[in-house]
Amino acid sequence: MDSEAREERRSARERRATVRRVRRTYFRGVGLPYLLLAPQLLVTALFFFWPAGQAVYQSFLREDAFGLSSQFVGFENFIDVLGDADWRAAAARTAVFSLSVAALALSAALFLAVQADKHIRGAGAYRTLLIWPYAVAPAIAAVLWLFMVHPDIGLFGRALNALGVPWDYKLNGNQALLVVILASAWKQVSYNFIFFLAGLQGIPKPVLEAAAIDGAGPVRRFWTVVFPLLSPTAFFLLVVNLVYACFDTFGVIHALTQGGPGKSTETLIYRAYTDGVSNLNLGSSAAQSVILMILVIALTVVQFRFVEKKVHY
Amino acid sequence: MTVAAEALAGRSARRRVRETVVTHVCLVIGVLIFAFPIYLALIGSTHTSGTIGRGDVPLLPGPDAVANYAQAWGIGGGRFMGVPAGGMLLNSLLMASLIAVGKIAISLTSAYAIAFFRFPGRMVFFWLIFITLMLPVEVRIIPTFQVMVSLGMTNSMAGLVIPLIASATATLLFRQFFLTIPDEYVEAAKIDGAGPVRFFFDVLLPLSRTNIAALFVILFIYGWNQYLWPLLIVNDRSLETIVVGLTKMIGSGDAQNEWNVIMATAVLAMVPPVGVVLLMQRWFVRGLTETEK
């Protein structure tokens, strides 16, 4: 290879390197980097890949009644789970629950963020007061809501009953689902608010001024200029909220309703938990875990593809 | 100015005032919706259990705050008498701090290896760490629990903390930040004869201070708010964390519960994470919007 071509290739590589911000100068040594990576990799291998592999492996096995031997049953566990009417009901319930939580938490947060982004007195104080519920654990949010809507001791629960509305979330499944949705959404609004506010502050002011000079009113400005520019944030948040509603709300449900009354607030994650812990049905629980993993992976892939393309409409 | 123009200016000024008022009203309502449940918990923690159990929920503070908080802190209450909040708070504090520090430490070193060294398998390791982003602990809870049993790590602080300290997000954040550090720094260190360990402690750590602070807030709250994992791993009461302990006090939610003590415990459980958010608000907001993107 002649030196000119080599030079050419090198400079091309360097140009690429600066664009992709790849380091040119490295430290020497092989042992040290492996040592530096070791703790992270060890934890990841022990507590991520081993259990995930275990779940996949077990999902293809079935134990006999005494747990003494197990045999390979192919996709039978999956077919059983997917064909189970209770599981499918839980899946449908999870979809309704997650979409309601995401819709409520996103719209409330966007509305408040637009208000808090305006130039008004006390804007900083409002922001602080809307941000702090981020720190409240889902299970504690559930306790706070329980204290408000309890039919005997809750302020609102009693008020509803006094007004003649038969209210008891411990007996009425729809009311239980409503309370769980409200408590879960309440807790998530501040997270969304922080991101929407950051997104709004990132919109260049001249764009908005130009729209105002062109005679667009505030509502029109929001829908034609602000909202499209916020759409990458909104999409990112939608995925995060769905993942939150599917998995992190375990604490809300466990503290408030334990999946009841009946099965009216049992989501997929709650079901996987009860099947594995209380019912000790390992093959079925493993198959459920694998299905949930596929769901999360799908959501994450969708998120990365879209965020990379920057959803603008 | 003509009369028409003056009228126009007056109208737009009035419109601006009206808009400002509407904005304030909306924000006040929003703030109230978020503050009210907490306010009610605070009020509940200042009355006797009898007052609450009868259903006469007052809207103003009562005289029993000291007694309730003393009972919650030292004795406990509810159906599981005898789990004092003091000990549970200490467990939560230890767990949350260890998770945050552990995550930051192992993410810093692995991001350093990936960003500043070239060695065989670098990208494979990067992707192995990255992929864990897709597996929240809730999804693989039962198989992870089985692993914990095989390793004999249930019912221990190590079992509570170690499985949660792997962090793809923190590693990605630090790697992203390290890539913005100019090559000249590395070259200068090499000329001065500083090795990679010295460079890490003398250059990289001081430069990463704000990122570390921001991450600490987020990870501390993440650790504090853990629920399903401690619920599954720990049944030894001396290791009970406050969030799980609180919901155990409620049981099935009878009106006869000692709600005054439960609400005092709930308030105590919220003070540390809320305090951290309020005190470190600026770092926290920056850290959050940067890590998760």
Side-chain angles (χ1 to χ4, degrees):
Chain A
M1 203 193 293
D2 63 333
S3 68
E4 218 180 281
R6 202 177 307 151
E7 199 55 42
E8 178 84 66
R9 279 230 324 248
R10 220 188 63 150
S11 70
R13 198 163 57 223
E14 260 171 27
R15 268 204 308 278
R16 229 178 18 240
T18 37
V19 171
R20 290 166 61 205
R21 277 231 177 103
V22 170
R23 196 160 289 290
R24 275 169 291 128
T25 317
Y26 290 89
F27 284 113
R28 286 175 199 294
V30 174
L32 187 62
Y34 285 128
L35 199 68
L36 289 168
L37 274 170
Q40 176 96 279
L41 288 176
L42 191 71
V43 174
T44 308
L46 275 181
F47 303 108
F48 284 79
F49 291 112
W50 185 10
Q54 195 79 353
V56 174
Y57 175 68
Q58 280 173 357
S59 67
F60 290 107
L61 296 180
R62 182 160 299 165
E63 286 186 335
D64 65 22
F66 305 103
L68 295 174
S69 67
S70 50
Q71 65 178 110
F72 182 80
V73 291
F75 284 97
E76 243 175 72
N77 284 326
F78 289 95
I79 292 165
D80 283 359
V81 167
L82 292 174
D84 180 4
D86 277 353
W87 189 86
R88 279 196 290 199
R93 197 178 300 123
T94 308
V96 171
F97 170 75
S98 305
L99 289 171
S100 312
V101 169
L104 255 177
L106 284 170
S107 51
L110 180 57
F111 178 76
L112 289 171
V114 169
Q115 307 305 320
D117 188 42
K118 291 180 182 163
H119 288 283
I120 51 164
R121 211 172 297 164
Y126 284 126
R127 280 173 212 165
T128 304
L129 288 170
L130 289 168
I131 280 172
W132 62 265
Y134 172 83
V136 177
I140 295 182
V143 174
L144 298 178
W145 277 77
L146 186 147
F147 194 57
M148 289 196 298
V149 301
H150 194 287
D152 302 323
I153 60 159
L155 188 66
F156 295 130
R158 276 172 59 90
L160 281 172
N161 280 319
L163 289 173
V165 182
W167 172 269
D168 190 346
Y169 71 91
K170 284 194 253 178
L171 297 175
N172 183 320
N174 288 331
Q175 292 177 357
L177 194 59
L178 180 70
V179 173
V180 174
I181 288 172
L182 286 175
S184 305
W186 179 84
K187 191 253 162 318
Q188 187 65 6
V189 169
S190 52
Y191 180 92
N192 299 341
F193 173 80
I194 293 166
F195 277 89
F196 275 134
L197 195 59
L200 285 167
Q201 286 166 346
I203 293 175
K205 292 290 171 263
V207 175
L208 293 175
E209 280 158 19
I213 289 167
D214 285 350
V219 176
R220 176 117 187 248
R221 275 206 300 276
F222 177 78
W223 288 113
T224 56
V225 182
V226 176
F227 192 72
L229 287 170
L230 272 184
S231 58
T233 311
F235 188 78
F236 159 80
L237 284 176
L238 176 65
V239 177
V240 170
N241 279 250
L242 288 178
V243 172
Y244 159 80
C246 283
F247 305 111
D248 287 346
T249 52
F250 176 88
V252 179
I253 296 169
H254 190 257
L256 254 175
T257 62
Q258 273 115 23
K263 289 183 183 303
S264 53
T265 51
E266 187 188 70
T267 57
L268 287 179
I269 189 73
Y270 203 87
R271 193 177 167 80
Y273 167 79
T274 43
D275 269 1
V277 174
S278 323
N279 306 343
L280 290 171
N281 187 347
L282 287 185
S284 166
S285 173
Q288 291 184 40
S289 287
V290 172
I291 293 170
L292 288 176
M293 281 187 224
I294 294 169
L295 184 72
V296 187
I297 290 173
L299 275 173
T300 318
V301 169
V302 168
Q303 176 187 342
F304 275 101
R305 284 190 66 106
F306 278 88
V307 167
E308 220 135 79
K309 282 191 196 142
K310 295 276 174 211
V311 197
H312 281 298
Y313 296 112
Chain B
M1 212 190 263
T2 62
V3 179
E6 259 173 46
L8 198 67
R11 204 154 57 220
S12 90
R14 269 202 307 279
R15 208 175 81 181
R16 210 168 310 132
V17 169
R18 202 170 59 220
E19 266 179 41
T20 311
V21 169
V22 170
T23 305
H24 277 290
V25 169
C26 292
L27 284 169
V28 167
I29 291 172
V31 166
L32 286 180
I33 289 175
F34 287 98
F36 189 71
I38 316 269
Y39 176 75
L40 213 58
L42 275 170
I43 297 302
S45 69
T46 62
H47 288 275
T48 60
S49 59
T51 311
I52 301 171
R54 275 199 309 277
D56 305 331
V57 191
L59 279 171
L60 291 171
D64 303 297
V66 176
N68 290 341
Y69 281 93
Q71 192 190 339
W73 180 274
I75 305 165
R79 302 172 82 223
F80 289 77
M81 267 307 262
V83 189
M88 295 197 290
L89 280 169
L90 205 66
N91 287 333
S92 282
L93 194 66
L94 196 60
M95 177 178 78
S97 312
L98 286 174
I99 287 177
V101 171
K103 265 181 188 276
I104 289 171
I106 71 172
S107 302
L108 266 174
T109 59
S110 43
Y112 182 46
I114 286 170
F116 284 92
F117 290 85
R118 227 189 297 202
F119 53 92
R122 198 172 68 102
M123 284 326 275
V124 175
F125 291 132
F126 178 70
W127 282 104
L128 280 180
I129 295 170
F130 184 73
I131 221 170
T132 59
L133 202 66
M134 300 179 179
L135 295 175
V137 71
E138 284 81 6
V139 177
R140 51 192 170 76
I141 196 79
I142 304 300
T144 313
F145 177 70
Q146 291 168 336
V147 168
M148 299 298 287
V149 173
S150 334
L151 294 173
M153 282 175 77
T154 55
N155 265 330
S156 67
M157 187 49 83
L160 269 180
V161 170
I162 294 172
L164 297 181
I165 66 172
S167 180
T169 22
T171 310
L172 288 177
L173 173 81
F174 282 127
R175 175 182 165 270
Q176 211 69 10
F177 171 64
F178 289 168
L179 290 180
T180 65
I181 292 174
D183 279 322
E184 286 72 19
Y185 284 44
V186 185
E187 280 153 19
K190 280 185 166 177
I191 290 166
D192 290 348
V197 176
R198 182 86 192 276
F199 181 77
F200 181 77
F201 283 106
D202 289 359
V203 180
L204 220 50
L205 273 190
L207 284 176
S208 315
R209 260 203 318 249
T210 25
N211 282 307
I212 291 174
L215 259 181
F216 183 85
V217 182
I218 294 162
L219 297 176
F220 181 85
I221 291 165
Y222 164 86
W224 187 276
N225 290 352
Q226 282 303 313
Y227 187 78
L228 182 49
W229 187 244
L231 182 72
L232 208 56
I233 287 299
V234 167
N235 51 36
D236 180 349
R237 279 195 189 175
S238 65
L239 279 171
E240 196 83 273
T241 56
I242 187 104
V243 178
V244 177
L246 175 70
T247 60
K248 282 188 183 168
M249 287 166 83
I250 290 170
S252 55
D254 293 341
Q256 284 75 37
N257 277 350
E258 287 186 272
W259 286 102
N260 53 340
V261 182
I262 292 176
M263 285 302 137
T265 312
V267 172
L268 289 175
M270 280 184 286
V271 168
V274 171
V276 167
V277 163
L278 291 183
L279 289 176
M280 298 173 81
Q281 190 183 337
R282 179 165 307 190
W283 278 339
F284 154 70
V285 170
R286 236 199 70 194
L288 193 68
T289 44
E290 277 173 19
T291 36
E292 308 244 347
K293 264 194 177 163

